[in-house]
Amino acid sequence: MITVEVRFFGGLHLFTRRVRAEVERTLPVVTLPVGATVDDLLDLFDIPTGQDRPLVVINRFYHRDNVPLADGDQVQLMKTVVGG
């Protein structure tokens, strides 16, 4: 298992309203199986993984793709903003 720290910029409610209680209790720490990816993390929170996916920052580096996560990673999720 790997453990990552997850931060939601703007609050968790901006990303999803469907978080299992056992996951929400451990936030900001989340435990995932070895080999887990960003999409696995997003699926855990029922966050879309397609075009509507949030901007993902892992250890201060921006990622738009489904990349593997490692034990101890710090993950930040940011809603993308469109408009003017």
Side-chain angles (χ1 to χ4, degrees), residues 65-80:
D65 300 321
N66 185 28
V67 297
L69 295 169
D71 191 46
D73 278 349
Q74 294 178 338
V75 180
Q76 300 169 343
L77 300 178
M78 299 181 201
K79 275 290 210 193
T80 52

Side-chain angles (χ1 to χ4, degrees), residues 6-9 14-16 38-39 41-43 45-57 62-66 75-81:
V6 184
R7 300 289 179 179
F8 299 88
F9 280 84
L14 287 180
F15 294 89
T16 184
V38 169
D39 282 357
L41 178 66
L42 296 179
D43 285 342
F45 293 105
D46 198 25
I47 297 173
T49 57
Q51 273 187 325
D52 294 335
R53 73 186 296 129
L55 181 60
V56 178
V57 180
Y62 293 90
H63 296 276
R64 277 305 227 172
D65 300 321
N66 185 28
V75 180
Q76 300 169 343
L77 300 178
M78 299 181 201
K79 275 290 210 193
T80 52
V81 179

